[in-house]
Amino acid sequence: MQPSFCPLVFQSFSKSPLDMLILRRCSLLVLLVATTSLPVVAETWTTLNGVSFDAEFRGMWGEAAIFQRADGKRAAIALANMRAESRLRIQALDKEVAAKRKERVDQLKQQAAIADAPEIPGMGGPLAGAGLNPAALLGGGGGTLPAVVEYEPITDGMDLETTVKHLIRQTASGHVRIFWDSLPASHQSDLDRVRSEVTSSISADQWNTRIGMLDKLTRLINEKQDMLLGLSMLQGMPAEVKDQIKSGLEPIGQFLAALNANNRLSHEVFSTTPLGTTIADVSTDVHGLLRTLFESSDSGSPVPDPDAIAVDQSSPMEGLVTVPGAPEPMKWKQVEGRWITEANADQWQDQLQTFRTEMEALFAEDTNEKVEQFTKVLDDLLAASDQQAFEAIIFRVMLQFGPQLQPMGGAAPALPSGF
């Protein structure tokens, strides 16, 4: 559930341990909508008043069947308002959807060990220069977390073995700032220059509109957890799946709240604060949360055992790092007194350009309409006074998804407008 509208710090730690633990839990919710549909074919359906129409059955929402016609418009009709033959066909299709959902949930559980072994912070994004290759270092997870340690930065003169094991122990303690502090000075300067240039090119209003959306999402998760968990679409899911979703909501809310604490992501603050300072502040606020998430992992430690890693430093400037189970050793180089992987050293300029492009795109004016639509939905959900009102908004959004979808309605025996 990574907020794409906030690349500033969150995406700087692309696929971080928190990110991956959240994704594992929230993917269960996405699973309900995204992977339970069957190959759809238009069929003929008949209401109690004898009106027939051709449409694809898209699933159930509570006691209502969702249909989509050829032009893409959708509507909902109460199951009780369909003729017996149509009602039986809908119930049969819904059972097939439920069976497929169970199959996908089972598959997801089988992959939990992999999903619970997340990538080290920064390894998929612009902080990749820190140098830990997740495929090689994380393997299948398992084992016991290293003991909690206080934060200590990388220092000049550390050999390769000391550097790698220090990175692992610091990560296991939740200190994500280690991956900024371990970057070569020129890489830090490059990233901070991009921060300054991009924030200078984007108006404060444009920027703060995106951050405001993040704040509303944070409020929604923290203030409306009971309503989110009370959605009817969740009630048919296995108890253990619902428990995992529930356990994921609170840390998501805590992390998002910490992300913009003291308005650190506002245009006024972020544009005038060095990136390293922002990352250090965020790390201070979330390291305990990250450690708690690591400890609650149901498939063992999400970081490797530092004592199981083999290091062969062939020269003062190069070396190999081998992790049990990894397909091959990683090559590392020393750059400006810091150890980073050879691939990251060679691809730094490409990674830097990607960082710039993503920031510019996520704050671009051509996304304003979508931001306004999403903000309106968040406002409506925050204003919902009870479960029924909250559910109606979610239902409406599902039916209105995309410009072709029509408003909620169609519970009467007659066809919904537009059919």
Side-chain angles (χ1 to χ4, degrees):
M1 196 167 176
Q2 177 173 322
S4 61
F5 46 84
C6 186
L8 313 177
V9 175
F10 204 103
Q11 287 197 351
S12 292
F13 299 111
S14 176
K15 295 183 181 178
S16 71
L18 175 62
D19 189 10
M20 290 302 290
L21 285 168
I22 287 172
L23 284 174
R24 182 180 68 84
R25 290 179 169 89
C26 292
S27 62
L28 295 169
L29 181 56
V30 175
L31 184 72
L32 181 70
V33 177
T35 67
T36 57
S37 61
L38 297 168
V40 288
V41 178
E43 299 185 45
T44 300
W45 311 92
T46 306
T47 64
L48 283 178
N49 63 359
V51 178
S52 296
F53 60 95
D54 292 331
E56 299 168 351
F57 171 70
R58 303 297 298 188
M60 294 293 297
W61 181 278
E63 296 301 317
I66 309 298
F67 297 100
Q68 179 174 315
R69 71 181 192 182
D71 63 4
K73 290 185 178 180
R74 294 187 183 187
I77 302 178
L79 193 60
N81 291 329
M82 302 296 295
R83 280 196 172 175
E85 62 273 17
S86 291
R87 187 164 61 249
L88 290 172
R89 174 62 178 153
I90 290 169
Q91 290 171 336
L93 288 174
D94 191 47
K95 287 181 179 179
E96 292 182 47
V97 169
K100 185 175 181 181
R101 178 189 304 142
K102 184 179 184 303
E103 179 182 351
R104 292 293 294 120
V105 169
D106 290 343
Q107 291 175 359
L108 195 64
K109 290 179 181 177
Q110 293 173 4
Q111 297 167 1
I114 297 175
D116 263 340
E119 299 186 9
I120 296 293
M123 293 311 96
L127 297 187
L132 293 184
N133 183 320
L137 279 181
L138 295 179
T144 302
L145 278 167
V148 174
V149 296
E150 295 297 322
Y151 181 70
E152 293 184 17
I154 297 289
T155 59
D156 290 337
M158 278 189 177
D159 59 27
L160 178 55
E161 181 174 7
T162 303
T163 296
V164 171
K165 294 184 177 182
H166 186 72
L167 284 168
I168 292 171
R169 291 189 174 97
Q170 290 291 313
T171 300
S173 300
H175 302 302
V176 292
R177 64 180 293 186
I178 190 65
F179 292 96
W180 170 267
D181 291 340
S182 64
L183 288 173
S186 65
H187 290 199
Q188 293 179 347
S189 178
D190 286 343
L191 285 169
D192 202 51
R193 173 171 48 81
V194 171
R195 173 203 58 80
S196 178
E197 292 173 354
V198 172
T199 53
S200 297
S201 68
I202 298 172
S203 71
D205 287 345
Q206 183 80 359
W207 183 281
N208 289 333
T209 296
R210 303 302 193 271
I211 301 306
M213 185 169 62
L214 171 64
D215 289 339
K216 289 180 180 180
L217 177 62
T218 303
R219 284 186 55 208
L220 177 68
I221 294 172
N222 288 328
E223 297 175 13
K224 302 288 186 178
Q225 284 192 26
D226 289 344
M227 291 186 184
L228 287 166
L229 294 169
L231 289 172
S232 61
M233 60 189 277
L234 298 180
Q235 303 317 304
M237 301 187 75
E240 62 269 25
V241 174
K242 290 191 289 186
D243 287 344
Q244 286 189 332
I245 294 173
K246 181 178 181 179
S247 67
L249 278 178
E250 186 171 354
I252 292 172
Q254 290 176 357
F255 182 86
L256 293 178
L259 195 61
N260 196 28
N262 301 316
N263 292 317
R264 62 166 62 104
L265 296 185
S266 68
H267 190 273
E268 179 182 8
V269 176
F270 192 82
S271 64
T272 58
T273 304
L275 185 57
T277 300
T278 300
I279 293 173
D281 288 345
V282 171
S283 181
T284 298
D285 289 346
V286 305
H287 74 87
L289 172 62
L290 284 174
R291 177 68 184 199
T292 298
L293 285 169
F294 293 161
E295 291 172 345
S296 68
S297 171
D298 54 15
S299 61
S301 171
V303 295
D305 178 0
D307 295 326
I309 294 176
V311 178
D312 178 14
Q313 185 173 333
S314 56
S315 76
M317 303 299 292
E318 295 182 343
L320 296 175
V321 177
T322 304
V323 176
E328 59 184 19
M330 283 186 299
K331 295 181 180 179
W332 288 57
K333 285 184 176 180
Q334 188 175 142
V335 178
E336 301 170 20
R338 294 290 190 268
W339 287 97
I340 60 177
T341 64
E342 182 180 64
N344 288 326
D346 294 343
Q347 297 169 12
W348 176 247
Q349 290 304 315
D350 290 339
Q351 294 171 10
L352 190 66
Q353 182 57 45
T354 297
F355 181 46
R356 178 189 296 274
T357 300
E358 289 180 351
M359 287 188 67
E360 291 173 341
L362 291 167
F363 289 90
E365 292 187 0
D366 60 7
T367 64
N368 283 353
E369 183 177 353
K370 292 181 179 179
V371 170
E372 290 174 2
Q373 292 173 348
F374 186 55
T375 300
K376 177 61 167 59
V377 171
L378 291 173
D379 286 337
D380 290 346
L381 289 170
L382 285 167
S385 59
D386 54 38
Q387 186 68 39
Q388 184 177 2
F390 193 85
E391 191 99 12
I393 296 166
I394 298 292
F395 194 6
R396 185 193 72 211
V397 170
M398 290 184 66
L399 291 176
Q400 291 179 329
F401 183 77
Q404 292 184 324
L405 304 187
Q406 67 179 53
M408 187 178 99
L415 288 173
S417 60
F419 269 77

